[in-house]
Amino acid sequence: MKWNGTPLTDNEKLMIVNVYNYFSNDNSRTDDHRKLTLRKRVAEVLGLGSMRKDSCKRNFRLLLRVLHRLEYYFGQGDCRNILHESPNNVAYRCRYLCFHFANLEDNNDVPRHPEVFLDESYCYLHHTSRNTWVPHQGVILVPGHGPLVVIFGAIVVFRNGSSNKLYDANIAPNQVDYHGNFNAEIFEDLFSTLCKILYENYGPVSIHMDGASYHKRWVETIPSSNAKKQDLIDWLNAHEISFSSDLKRPELLELVQINKEKVPFSCIKIAEQYELKVSFTPPYHCELQPIEGVWAVVKGEVARSGSHPNLLSVRNTLLDAFKKKVTSQVIIGLWRRALKNAKKYLESDEDSQLIDDELDEYSSSDKDHVI
């Protein structure tokens, strides 16, 4: 009987019996098995005898029907990083969701204060969609190398269900990785301007962004594992952290790692000047960022508009797509989809008993995710 309670057909029962008998007889380890072609192996496993082309098609269709009834489909699936559901990442996700839902009311569907979702992306000069019309024996330049445009953008969701968008685009020619072009100095300059605009137009807001390295630059240098013992001692004394004079260098370094959370990030200090709150989304959770869908919309417009002679043309197409394609309806739809994903995580994490102080070095760097 299948999972939904419906009985198996005779063909499905026979297929299961044949597969069981095949592997229970350990035929897969014999030398004769290694000499078989893939088609003959499948035929032997399913007990179908010689698989001619016509019988192969019929049995393939039968197998497809069985898989579809079992609710399988052929596709890429939901690809996730192996650390997506690690205990430390789930613990961090719980804290982020608590901060996120604390700003929502009316069954968690209306933000109490405006929510801002900030992110950066990039678009290559020869950006194309996965599927496109290609001339006979035509050549499509694969994106991934060459000149690119780095995009900095933010969307705002209001209490009354409206939305707005703020955007910018910086040209970074002849580079391969936009992370090498977009550094902490550039981000903090743009972020400072954004905070001023948000404060003047929306008042107190909650800003959500990922934990990219250029988002999380400390306001001062934290001694690393290569630091000298005296440098560790000087840092601890400067922050008025008491310690025994008998401590060895590894012990001093561990003490620094424990207390480094007392040093805020530069973006946190910038936001504090405008009475804004900042929260970092958990790693590997782009589904909680509605602005990721905005990038798909504007970059898709670049792909559909054909080839571009230079980066300026790409930049203008991106900005035009921001103005015309990213409407309030689109933003609200993306925000609700991200909120739906957040609710699913919140329900699945309700019974998780995770201790916040048992965090590794990766998640501890994200500890000060709220100001």
Side-chain angles (χ1 to χ4, degrees):
M1 184 174 292
K2 288 179 282 193
W3 67 272
N4 58 1
T6 58
L8 295 171
T9 64
D10 292 338
N11 287 332
E12 291 170 350
K13 293 178 182 178
L14 180 61
M15 185 180 298
I16 294 174
V17 172
N18 289 335
V19 172
Y20 173 78
N21 291 335
Y22 180 83
F23 286 106
S24 62
N25 294 333
D26 202 20
N27 291 330
S28 59
R29 297 183 182 180
T30 62
D31 292 336
D32 294 337
H33 173 78
R34 296 188 182 95
K35 297 177 182 178
L36 297 176
T37 62
L38 179 60
R39 180 181 295 179
K40 291 183 178 179
R41 290 184 190 181
V42 174
E44 188 174 353
V45 170
L46 301 181
L48 301 176
S50 177
M51 291 186 70
R52 300 186 303 274
K53 274 192 174 182
D54 54 347
S55 63
C56 177
K57 289 181 180 179
R58 290 196 300 270
N59 292 306
F60 180 72
R61 288 193 294 268
L62 171 62
L63 184 59
L64 280 180
R65 287 197 296 270
V66 172
L67 292 174
H68 290 163
R69 288 176 186 175
L70 298 175
E71 296 192 352
Y72 281 88
Y73 71 95
F74 183 77
Q76 294 182 355
D78 185 10
C79 300
R80 292 182 177 178
N81 190 286
I82 192 172
L83 298 177
H84 184 277
E85 292 297 321
S86 64
N88 295 322
N89 208 26
V90 173
Y92 181 74
R93 183 174 68 202
C94 290
R95 294 196 302 273
Y96 169 77
L97 292 177
C98 289
F99 169 80
H100 184 30
F101 282 96
N103 186 46
L104 302 177
E105 55 187 17
D106 295 343
N107 296 325
N108 296 329
D109 289 332
V110 179
R112 183 178 292 106
H113 300 290
E115 290 189 329
V116 180
F117 296 90
L118 179 153
D119 194 25
E120 303 84 21
S121 187
Y122 61 95
C123 186
Y124 286 100
L125 177 61
H126 303 293
H127 178 72
T128 58
S129 58
R130 289 187 177 181
N131 299 322
T132 184
W133 291 105
V134 183
H136 180 62
Q137 296 181 346
V139 177
I140 298 297
L141 296 177
V142 179
H145 296 280
L148 55 82
V149 173
V150 179
I151 319 165
F152 173 88
I155 57 176
V156 187
V157 179
F158 304 165
R159 176 182 174 82
N160 61 357
S162 300
S163 64
N164 205 341
K165 50 189 177 292
L166 305 168
Y167 47 84
D168 195 3
N170 295 307
I171 296 179
N174 302 321
Q175 299 291 339
V176 175
D177 185 5
Y178 85 102
H179 288 97
N181 300 284
F182 202 85
N183 52 35
E185 290 79 8
I186 297 176
F187 166 74
E188 290 165 12
D189 181 60
L190 292 171
F191 185 69
S192 180
T193 303
L194 175 65
C195 288
K196 182 179 179 181
I197 295 174
L198 293 173
Y199 179 75
E200 293 174 351
N201 292 274
Y202 306 100
V205 301
S206 299
I207 302 176
H208 302 257
M209 56 183 168
D210 59 34
S213 58
Y214 43 77
H215 290 169
K216 292 186 171 182
R217 184 173 70 163
W218 308 98
V219 295
E220 62 180 62
T221 303
I222 307 295
S224 64
S225 58
N226 297 326
K228 297 180 180 179
K229 181 178 180 179
Q230 187 59 44
D231 294 335
L232 299 174
I233 294 175
D234 294 340
W235 190 88
L236 293 171
N237 289 330
H239 291 81
E240 299 180 353
I241 301 173
S242 59
F243 59 94
S244 173
S245 58
D246 298 331
L247 293 181
K248 305 294 185 181
R249 181 183 172 280
E251 296 170 319
L252 292 172
L253 180 60
E254 182 180 2
L255 194 59
V256 169
Q257 295 296 323
I258 294 174
N259 291 275
K260 70 179 182 179
E261 285 79 16
K262 297 181 179 179
V263 181
F265 298 120
S266 298
C267 66
I268 299 275
K269 298 295 290 184
I270 294 173
E272 283 180 339
Q273 299 174 10
Y274 299 95
E275 303 177 359
L276 307 180
K277 294 183 178 180
V278 173
S279 180
F280 297 105
T281 55
Y284 317 115
H285 285 72
C286 59
E287 63 273 16
L288 298 179
Q289 266 283 15
I291 196 172
E292 295 289 349
V294 173
W295 299 144
V297 172
V298 298
K299 292 166 72 173
E301 192 65 21
V302 172
R304 285 188 293 270
S305 60
S307 59
H308 296 270
N310 49 49
L311 289 177
L312 184 59
S313 175
V314 175
R315 177 184 182 274
N316 293 336
T317 303
L318 288 169
L319 295 179
D320 188 64
F322 265 111
K323 297 175 182 177
K324 297 180 179 179
K325 299 295 182 179
V326 185
T327 62
S328 295
Q329 184 178 2
V330 170
I331 294 177
I332 294 300
L334 294 171
W335 179 77
R336 287 176 176 168
R337 185 174 66 181
L339 183 61
K340 183 180 179 181
N341 294 330
K343 289 180 178 180
K344 289 182 180 179
Y345 284 126
L346 189 66
E347 293 175 359
S348 64
D349 296 342
E350 279 182 348
D351 300 329
S352 300
Q353 298 180 356
L354 300 166
I355 302 175
D356 288 350
D357 56 359
E358 293 183 358
L359 299 176
D360 59 7
E361 181 180 355
Y362 175 79
S363 60
S364 65
S365 64
D366 294 334
K367 189 172 182 181
D368 289 332
H369 70 295
V370 178
I371 62 172

